[in-house]
């Protein structure tokens, strides 16, 4: 690096999306969890992106983060109380997968996904530079989340019948914002949403504290788990 | 709005930018009766962020003020059903209800044939929200 070429420096990097895509699908009613929509989308990347994002069923007048949506009495389940729309996003080395449980009538839904490269990815990535007024990357009119740490650890649950706690120390003395994912059996998902659509036995619970993030892996997980994190200085 | 004299730097990769941040609470009363087959919902709405933003939310219960959670989830509590101790769940959830507002929601469902009485005491859920603008064309 030639210091004469340096234009901008910071102690903390910003989020850089290695995968930025928007999709529209018509999602049929899901009479049960086994008939939830499962949409594989080839991503063409040489890594499994750490995905997050939002979705809508009314062209963004309302919107939901993956794993969240209003509750309702589901007529398919005898009026049982539950989320009306459940959607999660996951990835492997080939595809991004959108999962949708639609407790309501068939409807058009839109999904906006941004995925980060895993912390150990060192290869070349495909440009995700957007276009238009929101295509700029860094603008002094705006503020950006400051990334303190992005890393991963591989945990091997001992299969002793008790949850395994994976501690991620940050030492900030306050509770930061953080994004956490797990990779189990080659599938990377947002931590805490692993079980959302009819998948059993892989409960993961991240708990943020002032010095540490404890990621609890349920006793039923008996395979190795990669825990990925992105911890921000922003509280 | 991008100003002509603002410093702008680009790279090959898009990012998210901060939009707004705030916090709000939902208070669940200490003891309520939920009729057989019914549910109760407690909500609070907050003016935060703009249309089609992603929310990074930390959720805290007053029962464990040192612990913050980052996804919608259920909190297991104990009440009574037909007078006997019985477990129930507080479903804690959040979502955007308009271009300017988010809703925090805590609900209790009683799918059983008798009245459920919650007896775990009053509880306050705090939602600390940062809304983020994703790198897509904004919708009108």
């Amino acid at each position: 690096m030639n210091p004469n070429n340096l234009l901008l420096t910071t102690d903390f990097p910003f989020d850089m999306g290695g995968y930025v895509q928007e999709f529209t699908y018509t999602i049929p009613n899901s009479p049960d969890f086994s008939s939830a929509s499962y949409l594989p989308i080839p991503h063409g990347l040489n890594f499994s992106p750490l995905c997050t994002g939002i979705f809508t069923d009314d062209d963004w007048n309302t919107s939901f983060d993956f794993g969240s949506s209003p509750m309702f009495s589901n007529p398919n389940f005898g009026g049982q109380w539950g989320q009306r729309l459940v959607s999660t996003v996951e990835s492997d080395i080939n595809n991004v997968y959108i999962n949708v449980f639609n407790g309501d009538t068939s409807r058009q839904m839109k999904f906006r996904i941004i995925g980060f490269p895993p912390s150990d990815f060192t290869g070349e990535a495909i440009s995700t530079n957007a276009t238009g007024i929101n295509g700029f990357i860094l603008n002094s009119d705006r503020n950006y989340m400051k990334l303190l740490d992005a890393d991963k650890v591989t945990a091997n649950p001992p299969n002793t019948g008790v949850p395994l706690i994976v501690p991620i120390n940050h030492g900030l003395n306050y509770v930061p914002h953080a994004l956490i994912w797990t990779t189990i059996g080659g599938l990377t998902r947002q931590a805490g949403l692993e079980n959302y659509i009819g998948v059993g036995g892989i409960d993961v619970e991240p708990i943020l504290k002032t010095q540490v993030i404890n990621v609890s892996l349920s006793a039923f997980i008996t395979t190795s788990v990669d825990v990925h994190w992105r911890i921000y200085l922003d509280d | 709005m991008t100003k002509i004299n603002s410093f702008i730097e680009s790279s090959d990769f898009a990012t998210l930018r901060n939009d707004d941040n705030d916090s709000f609470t939902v208070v669940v009363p200490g003891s309520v009766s939920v009729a057989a087959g019914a549910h109760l919902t407690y909500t609070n709405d907050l003016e935060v962020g703009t249309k089609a933003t992603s929310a990074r939310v930390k959720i805290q219960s007053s029962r464990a003020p040192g612990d913050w959670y980052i996804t919608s989830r259920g909190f297991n509590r104990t009440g009574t059903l037909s007078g006997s101790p019985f477990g129930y769940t507080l479903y804690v959830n959040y979502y955007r209800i308009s271009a300017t507002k988010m809703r925090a929601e805590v609900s209790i469902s009683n799918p059983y044939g008798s009245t459920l009485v919650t007896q775990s005491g009053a509880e306050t859920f705090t939602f600390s929200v940062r809304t983020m603008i994703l790198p897509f064309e904004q919708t009108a």
Side-chain angles (χ1 to χ4, degrees):
Chain A
M1 175 178 288
N2 182 345
N4 292 324
N5 293 338
L6 192 63
L7 297 177
L8 176 69
T9 184
T10 172
D11 288 338
F12 301 102
F14 306 107
D15 282 331
M16 290 290 179
Y19 179 83
V20 177
Q21 293 291 335
E22 180 169 16
F23 304 101
T24 301
Y25 292 106
T26 297
I27 306 295
N29 170 256
S30 308
D32 52 45
F33 281 115
S34 64
S35 56
S37 296
Y38 189 63
L39 308 168
I41 305 155
H43 56 58
L45 304 171
N46 47 356
F47 57 85
S48 299
L50 308 174
C51 291
T52 183
I54 56 177
F55 64 99
T56 183
D57 68 337
D58 61 3
D59 204 19
W60 305 113
N61 290 310
T62 61
S63 61
F64 321 113
D65 287 82
F66 286 111
S68 295
S69 83
M71 306 286 279
F72 89 136
S73 293
N74 190 330
N76 290 331
F77 292 2
Q80 188 174 324
W81 191 239
Q83 282 184 304
R84 184 171 65 86
L85 303 167
V86 183
S87 187
T88 61
V89 61
E90 57 194 43
S91 70
D92 62 19
I93 194 63
N94 297 311
N95 297 306
V96 165
Y97 303 89
I98 298 174
N99 307 300
V100 193
F101 172 81
N102 175 13
D104 211 325
T105 55
S106 178
R107 60 198 47 235
Q108 186 182 77
M109 295 176 64
K110 295 183 177 181
F111 305 85
R112 289 178 170 178
I113 298 171
I114 182 166
F116 306 107
S119 57
D120 57 352
F121 175 73
T122 58
E124 295 284 325
I126 300 169
S127 169
T128 58
N129 214 344
T131 57
I133 191 70
N134 293 299
F136 58 79
I137 303 303
L138 176 62
N139 184 318
S140 60
D141 283 344
R142 304 294 183 183
N143 192 13
Y144 299 83
M145 299 286 272
K146 277 72 70 180
L147 191 60
L148 173 68
D149 188 29
D151 208 342
K152 77 168 187 178
V153 66
T154 300
N156 292 290
N159 197 16
T160 55
V162 296
L164 174 66
I165 305 297
V166 179
I168 305 168
N169 294 298
H170 58 77
L172 287 171
N173 209 32
Y174 60 86
V175 180
H177 274 273
L179 299 176
I180 315 285
W181 296 263
T182 60
T183 302
I184 302 173
L187 279 175
T188 301
R189 308 175 176 97
Q190 289 178 267
L193 303 184
E194 290 86 348
N195 259 355
Y196 252 56
I197 304 184
V199 178
I202 51 171
D203 285 309
V204 178
E205 183 75 273
I207 302 175
L208 281 58
K209 296 171 173 287
T210 55
Q211 300 293 334
V212 66
I213 298 170
N214 287 328
V215 181
S216 174
L217 307 177
S218 73
F220 300 104
I221 301 174
T222 56
T223 60
S224 69
V225 179
D226 285 344
V227 178
H228 310 260
W229 62 86
R230 297 174 72 84
I231 302 174
Y232 299 87
L233 281 173
D234 310 73
D235 64 0
Chain B
M1 178 65 72
T2 301
K3 298 174 183 142
I4 194 162
N5 291 316
S6 298
F7 180 87
I8 300 174
E9 183 69 23
S10 67
S11 86
D12 288 339
F13 301 99
T15 189
L16 303 88
R17 67 175 191 254
N18 290 12
D19 175 44
D20 198 2
N21 65 283
D22 209 337
S23 65
F24 56 151
T25 61
V26 175
V27 178
V28 178
S31 179
V32 293
S33 295
V34 189
H39 63 267
L40 295 177
T41 300
Y42 303 91
T43 64
N44 193 7
D45 297 344
L46 177 71
E47 296 243 4
V48 62
T50 51
K51 191 173 185 177
T53 48
S54 175
R56 294 183 181 178
V57 179
K58 297 184 294 186
I59 303 169
Q60 175 210 50
S61 162
S62 55
R63 296 294 180 80
D67 295 346
W68 293 80
Y69 300 87
I70 56 175
T71 57
S72 295
R73 66 189 301 274
F75 289 80
N76 294 326
R77 299 290 183 255
T78 301
T80 60
L81 191 74
S82 302
S84 299
F86 202 83
Y88 66 94
T89 302
L90 297 172
Y91 295 98
V92 178
N93 208 4
Y94 61 87
Y95 45 92
R96 177 161 291 283
I97 59 171
S98 73
T100 59
K101 287 185 179 179
M102 284 189 64
R103 172 165 295 167
E105 176 184 273
V106 181
S107 62
I108 307 165
S109 172
N110 177 14
Y112 306 103
S114 305
T115 298
L116 171 72
V117 181
T118 69
Q119 294 186 329
S120 57
E123 188 166 359
T124 300
F125 289 92
T126 300
F127 298 73
S128 173
V129 181
R130 279 188 176 274
T131 59
M132 312 293 298
I133 296 175
L134 298 172
F136 297 93
E137 292 293 325
Q138 286 298 85
T139 52

